[in-house]
C-alpha cells in the first residue's frame, strides 16, 4: 500500500476495495488504520454485520411485546441449558484468576498509565460509557493501549510532570462499544461500520499476539447485551478473529456485563454461548437500573423513586445480584461486583469520610454476598476495596461459594415493592446530572465528576429516563406537586438560569445550550431515544465531504 503524510497531520493511501475513511487521520493514527488492519476489520464486518442488525431488530420486536404486556421471563426453549448441572465454562486465564479489585476508566493516555499503575488487579480500558466516541478519542485510545502493551507509553502534562508505567501493572481488559453503536467515520461497502467490531477488531489485530507473548491474552468486557444470541455473535467473531491470526481458539476471554433486565433472564445461556471464552459476568448496576426503567417505561406500576432510593438492596436489584453470583459459581467463572460511584472529596474531611464509608459498605455487601471482585473509579479507592476483600476473601476468588440458598424466580427480578419517594430535589438532581454530563459529552469528555460522584453515560441515562417516566405517568412528589412534562421543562429552565449565572460571560463558550435543547426532547414523557450515544453521536462526528481513504 502506498501512503503519504500530508501537512504532517493527515493520512492518505491508495484505495482498499470497499473501505472508505471519512475523517482526517494523523501519522500515529495511520499506524492503527494500516492496510492489513483495515482488511481484518472489513472481513469481520462483512461476515457478521447482517447478524448484528437482525439482532437489533429483535430488540425492537421484544420491546413491542413488552409494551403489549408480555413481561420477560426465563426462556422455556433453553431450560435444558439452565437445568444441566454438568457443563462448565473455561478455567480462569493467566492474569484473571485474582480480580478482587478492578479499576475502570476511559482510554486517554494519562488515565491508561494511572490505571495500570493503580495497584488494582485489572484495568478495564473503556471505549464505551466513559469515553465520548469522537474519532480522535477512539483512535488515540487504540494508540495508547498498544503503547501500554508494548511498554512504551509515557505522558508529560503541561506542568512538566512525566508519567510512566511501573514494573508491575494491572491486567488489561478492554471494553468495546455496544452492538447498537456505529462508527460512522468508516464505511465498509458504503455502510457505517459496527463500532463493536471496529473497537474489538483493531485492538485484537494489533495487540493479541503481544499480549500472549507477555504471558496474558486478549481480554474483553462486553456491554449492553440483551440476549444469549448476542453473546453467540460475539463468540462467532472471537473464533473467526482467532482463526484469521492463527491464534488458538479459547485464547480470548470475555466478561459480560449483565446490565439489561432481559439479559438477567439469560445468564446461564450467555455463559454457555461464550463458554470457552467466558471469564464470568459483572453486575453493571447503573445500566441495569436504566434498562429496567427503559424496558418498562410504559407501565405505571414500574415507576421508580429518586435514584438515591434505588439501592442494591431493594428487591429487584438484590435478586439480580444473588442470581448472578449463583449462576457464575455454578459454571466455574467469576461473579464480579459493580461500581460504587463515590470519589474522594478534597478539602472537606467530613464529606470525604462519609463518601469513603459508603464505598466500604458497598464493597462489604459485595464480598459477603459472594462476589469475586469489585470495581472502583478512582485510584485512591483501590486500597479501600482491597482491605474489604482481603479481610473477607483472603484467597484469589470465592467461586467455591455456590449460593445454593438462592432461588430467584421471574417475580423476584421484577419486584419493585420497596419504599422510596419522588422529590423536587430528585428531579432537579436528575436535570443537573443530565445537563452537566451531556455538556461534557458534547465536548468529547465521557466521564465527569458531578456532586462528588463519577458519572458516565449509564448514570446520565438513569437521569433522563426517570424524568421521562415521571412525566409520562405523572406521580405526585412528596411536596405535593404532580410531575408533568411542563413541570420538568420549567425546572430545566430554572437550572439553566443558575448555570448561566455561575458561568457569566463564559457560558457562551460552553455546550450547555445544545445540551439543554437535546435534553428537553427526552424528559416530557413523549419522545424517547434508545441511547444518548446514538441520539447525539452525529453532533461529535468529524466527517469530511471528501473521503480520506
Amino acid at each position: 500500500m502506498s501512503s503519504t503524510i500530508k501537512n504532517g497531520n493527515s493520512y492518505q493511501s491508495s484505495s482498499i476495495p470497499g473501505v472508505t475513511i471519512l475523517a482526517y487521520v494523523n501519522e500515529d493514527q495511520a499506524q492503527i488504520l494500516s492496510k492489513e488492519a483495515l482488511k481484518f476489520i472489513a472481513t469481520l464486518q462483512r461476515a457478521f454485520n447482517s447478524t448484528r442488525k437482525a439482532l437489533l431488530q429483535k430488540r425492537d420486536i421484544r420491546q413491542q411485546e413488552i409494551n403489549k404486556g408480555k413481561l420477560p421471563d426465563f426462556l422455556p426453549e433453553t431450560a435444558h441449558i439452565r437445568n444441566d448441572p454438568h457443563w462448565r465454562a473455561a478455567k480462569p486465564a493467566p492474569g484473571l484468576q485474582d480480580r478482587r479489585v478492578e479499576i475502570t476508566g476511559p482510554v486517554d493516555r494519562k488515565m491508561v498509565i494511572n490505571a495500570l499503575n493503580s495497584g488494582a488487579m485489572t484495568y478495564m480500558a473503556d471505549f464505551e460509557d466513559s469515553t465520548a466516541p469522537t474519532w480522535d478519542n477512539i483512535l488515540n485510545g487504540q494508540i495508547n493501549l498498544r503503547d501500554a502493551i508494548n511498554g512504551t507509553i509515557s505522558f508529560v502534562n503541561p506542568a512538566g510532570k512525566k508519567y510512566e508505567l511501573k514494573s508491575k501493572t494491572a491486567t488489561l481488559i478492554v471494553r468495546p462499544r455496544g452492538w447498537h453503536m456505529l462508527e460512522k467515520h468508516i464505511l465498509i461497502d458504503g455502510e457505517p461500520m459496527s463500532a463493536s467490531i471496529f473497537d474489538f477488531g483493531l485492538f485484537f489485530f494489533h495487540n493479541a499476539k503481544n499480549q500472549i507473548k507477555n504471558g496474558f491474552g486478549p481480554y474483553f468486557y462486553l456491554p449492553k447485551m440483551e440476549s444469549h444470541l448476542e453473546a453467540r455473535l460475539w463468540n462467532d467473531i472471537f473464533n473467526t478473529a482467532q482463526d484469521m491470526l492463527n491464534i488458538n481458539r479459547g485464547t480470548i476471554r470475555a466478561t459480560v456485563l449483565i446490565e439489561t433486565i432481559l439479559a438477567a433472564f439469560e445468564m446461564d445461556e450467555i455463559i454457555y454461548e461464550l463458554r470457552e471464552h467466558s471469564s464470568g459476568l459483572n453486575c453493571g448496576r447503573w445500566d441495569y437500573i436504566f434498562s429496567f426503567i427503559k424496558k418498562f417505561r410504559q407501565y405505571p406500576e414500574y415507576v421508580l423513586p429518586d435514584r438515591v432510593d434505588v439501592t442494591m438492596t431493594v428487591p429487584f436489584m438484590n435478586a439480580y445480584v444473588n442470581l448472578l453470583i449463583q449462576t457464575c459459581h455454578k459454571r466455574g467463572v467469576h461473579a464480579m461486583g459493580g461500581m460504587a460511584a463515590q470519589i474522594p472529596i478534597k478539602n472537606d474531611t467530613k464529606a470525604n469520610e462519609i463518601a469513603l464509608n459508603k464505598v466500604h459498605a458497598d464493597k462489604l455487601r459485595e464480598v459477603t454476598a459472594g462476589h469475586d471482585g469489585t470495581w472502583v473509579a478512582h485510584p485512591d479507592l483501590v486500597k479501600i476495596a482491597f482491605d474489604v476483600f482481603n479481610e473477607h476473601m483472603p484467597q484469589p476468588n470465592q467461586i467455591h461459594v455456590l449460593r445454593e440458598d438462592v432461588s430467584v424466580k421471574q417475580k423476584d427480578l421484577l419486584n419493585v415493592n420497596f419504599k422510596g419517594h419522588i422529590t423536587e430535589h430528585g428531579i432537579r438532581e436528575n436535570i443537573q446530572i443530565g445537563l452537566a454530563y451531556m455538556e461534557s459529552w458534547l465536548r468529547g469528555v465521557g466521564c465527569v465528576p458531578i456532586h462528588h460522584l463519577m458519572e458516565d453515560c449509564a448514570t446520565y441515562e438513569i437521569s433522563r429516563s426517570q424524568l421521562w417516566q415521571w412525566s409520562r405517568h405523572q406521580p405526585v412528589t412528596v411536596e405535593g406537586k404532580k410531575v408533568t412534562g411542563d413541570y420538568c421543562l420549567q425546572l430545566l429552565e430554572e437550572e439553566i438560569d443558575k448555570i448561566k449565572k455561575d458561568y457569566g460571560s463564559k457560558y457562551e463558550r460552553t455546550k450547555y445550550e445544545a445540551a439543554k435543547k437535546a435534553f428537553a426532547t427526552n424528559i416530557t414523557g413523549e419522545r424517547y431515544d434508545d441511547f444518548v450515544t446514538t441520539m447525539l453521536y452525529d453532533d461529535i462526528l468529524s466527517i469530511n465531504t471528501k473521503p480520506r481513504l
Side-chain angles (χ1 to χ4, degrees):
M1 178 178 75
S2 63
S3 62
T4 59
I5 303 300
K6 183 178 180 182
N7 299 326
N9 62 5
S10 63
Y11 173 67
Q12 292 182 315
S13 80
S14 59
S15 174
I16 297 173
V19 178
T20 308
I21 291 180
L22 300 174
Y24 284 104
V25 179
N26 65 35
E27 187 171 359
D28 291 333
Q29 294 167 346
Q31 297 172 14
I32 298 298
L33 297 175
S34 65
K35 180 179 180 180
E36 294 76 14
L38 290 172
K39 284 184 175 180
F40 182 80
I41 62 173
T43 299
L44 295 177
Q45 171 80 357
R46 288 166 176 148
F48 297 108
N49 192 49
S50 60
T51 303
R52 180 190 71 87
K53 292 194 292 184
L55 289 170
L56 293 180
Q57 289 181 332
K58 285 181 180 291
R59 288 187 184 183
D60 293 337
I61 293 169
R62 188 69 189 92
Q63 183 64 60
Q64 292 168 16
E65 292 174 344
I66 291 172
N67 292 347
K68 292 176 182 176
K70 185 180 179 182
L71 294 176
D73 201 349
F74 297 97
L75 302 177
E77 63 266 31
T78 54
H80 63 286
I81 294 173
R82 294 192 302 278
N83 296 335
D84 182 347
H86 302 296
W87 67 267
R88 296 290 183 275
K91 292 182 178 179
L96 295 181
Q97 295 95 336
D98 187 340
R99 302 171 62 180
R100 66 189 75 198
V101 179
E102 300 188 329
I103 191 168
T104 76
V107 288
D108 61 271
R109 203 163 181 87
K110 179 183 172 184
M111 176 66 201
V112 169
I113 296 170
N114 285 344
L116 289 170
N117 286 341
S118 66
M121 302 304 295
T122 75
Y123 159 46
M124 188 198 77
D126 189 19
F127 285 97
E128 202 225 7
D129 271 2
S130 63
T131 293
T134 66
W135 184 235
D136 279 344
N137 282 351
I138 296 298
L139 289 185
N140 291 342
Q142 293 280 354
I143 293 169
N144 297 337
L145 296 185
R146 178 204 64 190
D147 291 352
I149 291 164
N150 294 341
T152 60
I153 191 170
S154 64
F155 175 77
V156 179
N157 71 12
K161 181 179 179 181
K162 188 172 185 179
Y163 297 78
E164 294 179 299
L165 290 181
K166 298 176 181 177
S167 57
K168 184 180 179 181
T169 59
T171 300
L172 180 65
I173 309 176
V174 174
R175 178 162 72 172
R177 285 169 283 176
W179 285 133
H180 59 288
M181 294 188 69
L182 297 173
E183 181 46 75
K184 291 186 178 181
H185 297 95
I186 180 168
L187 307 179
I188 307 295
D189 303 326
E191 187 174 356
M193 187 165 186
S194 159
S196 308
I197 295 174
F198 184 84
D199 296 344
F200 161 78
L202 287 176
F203 177 82
F204 185 81
F205 179 84
H206 287 291
N207 302 299
K209 290 185 177 179
N210 283 339
Q211 289 182 295
I212 296 166
K213 193 182 300 181
N214 291 342
F216 300 100
Y219 305 146
F220 299 91
Y221 257 109
L222 304 179
K224 303 286 193 296
M225 279 196 276
E226 297 191 9
S227 80
H228 69 283
L229 299 179
E230 296 180 16
R232 181 182 298 173
L233 175 57
W234 269 119
N235 200 67
D236 291 342
I237 289 173
F238 290 164
N239 282 331
T240 302
Q242 288 166 129
D243 292 349
M244 288 171 70
L245 295 189
N246 294 314
I247 292 172
N248 291 335
R249 290 189 176 190
T251 301
I252 290 173
R253 287 291 194 278
T255 307
V256 173
L257 288 133
I258 300 299
E259 51 189 358
T260 68
I261 180 62
L262 298 180
F265 287 95
E266 301 183 33
M267 294 189 203
D268 261 314
E269 294 91 330
I270 286 169
I271 297 173
Y272 184 82
E273 293 294 345
L274 285 160
R275 57 195 179 279
E276 70 172 339
H277 297 116
S278 177
S279 52
L281 306 176
N282 175 290
C283 283
R285 62 177 73 172
W286 305 117
D287 264 306
Y288 191 79
I289 295 170
F290 157 51
S291 170
F292 197 93
I293 299 168
K294 173 182 176 178
K295 292 300 177 184
F296 305 137
R297 65 185 184 271
Q298 301 292 353
Y299 288 78
E301 59 266 41
Y302 286 108
V303 170
L304 296 183
D306 286 0
R307 171 180 156 188
V308 70
D309 291 329
V310 188
T311 68
M312 295 303 294
T313 60
V314 302
F316 78 96
M317 295 297 286
N318 186 56
Y320 147 69
V321 167
N322 289 336
L323 180 60
L324 184 142
I325 295 168
Q326 181 190 57
T327 304
C328 287
H329 290 180
K330 181 170 62 176
R331 305 308 179 185
V333 291
H334 284 67
M336 300 302 298
M339 176 72 74
Q342 289 81 12
I343 54 176
I345 303 170
K346 298 178 180 179
N347 306 320
D348 190 334
T349 304
K350 185 176 181 180
N352 187 59
E353 183 180 351
I354 292 171
L356 298 186
N357 285 342
K358 287 181 178 179
V359 174
H360 184 279
D362 184 66
K363 303 314 166 193
L364 181 61
R365 176 193 57 78
E366 288 181 323
V367 71
T368 53
H371 281 296
D372 302 291
T374 189
W375 275 13
V376 297
H378 193 285
D380 289 349
L381 302 181
V382 169
K383 184 180 184 302
I384 294 173
F386 261 122
D387 287 347
V388 176
F389 269 79
N390 289 344
E391 179 181 353
H392 297 274
M393 191 186 81
Q395 71 279 9
N397 58 64
Q398 50 185 340
I399 293 174
H400 63 280
V401 177
L402 298 179
R403 290 302 309 272
E404 291 174 336
D405 59 304
V406 171
S407 178
V408 172
K409 308 298 183 187
Q410 179 202 32
K411 63 181 177 60
D412 302 310
L413 289 171
L414 304 180
N415 185 351
V416 292
N417 183 23
F418 62 95
K419 291 182 179 180
H421 303 286
I422 298 170
T423 66
E424 181 181 324
H425 176 78
I427 297 170
R428 288 187 183 275
E429 193 163 67
N430 279 340
I431 291 171
Q432 291 161 8
I433 291 169
L435 285 172
Y437 184 80
M438 189 176 279
E439 193 274 341
S440 175
W441 197 89
L442 289 169
R443 289 188 286 106
V445 179
C447 191
V448 193
I450 305 171
H451 300 162
H452 306 306
L453 299 175
M454 188 60 74
E455 307 284 4
D456 68 3
C457 205
T459 45
Y460 163 83
E461 294 284 29
I462 294 173
S463 295
R464 64 110 179 176
S465 296
Q466 282 203 309
L467 293 172
W468 188 97
Q469 185 186 51
W470 295 339
S471 294
R472 180 74 164 193
H473 299 293
Q474 301 189 356
V476 176
T477 68
V478 294
E479 296 88 1
K481 182 75 174 179
K482 180 188 285 189
V483 184
T484 65
D486 287 342
Y487 181 52
C488 286
L489 291 176
Q490 174 194 328
L491 296 188
L492 173 64
E493 289 294 340
E494 291 177 11
E495 292 300 323
I496 279 288
D497 286 343
K498 294 177 187 176
I499 293 169
K500 286 179 179 177
K501 289 177 182 176
D502 288 342
Y503 275 85
S505 60
K506 296 179 181 178
Y507 179 82
E508 297 302 323
R509 298 200 293 272
T510 72
K511 296 284 187 179
Y512 272 108
E513 278 300 309
K516 183 189 92 168
K517 183 178 179 181
F519 196 56
T521 66
N522 266 239
I523 64 172
T524 62
E526 297 171 352
R527 170 179 162 179
Y528 185 86
D529 289 86
D530 262 0
F531 296 95
V532 67
T533 46
T534 50
M535 177 175 79
L536 293 182
Y537 181 49
D538 287 355
D539 293 311
I540 61 171
L541 291 177
S542 307
I543 288 176
N544 301 302
T545 55
K546 183 179 179 181
R548 303 305 302 174
L549 190 63

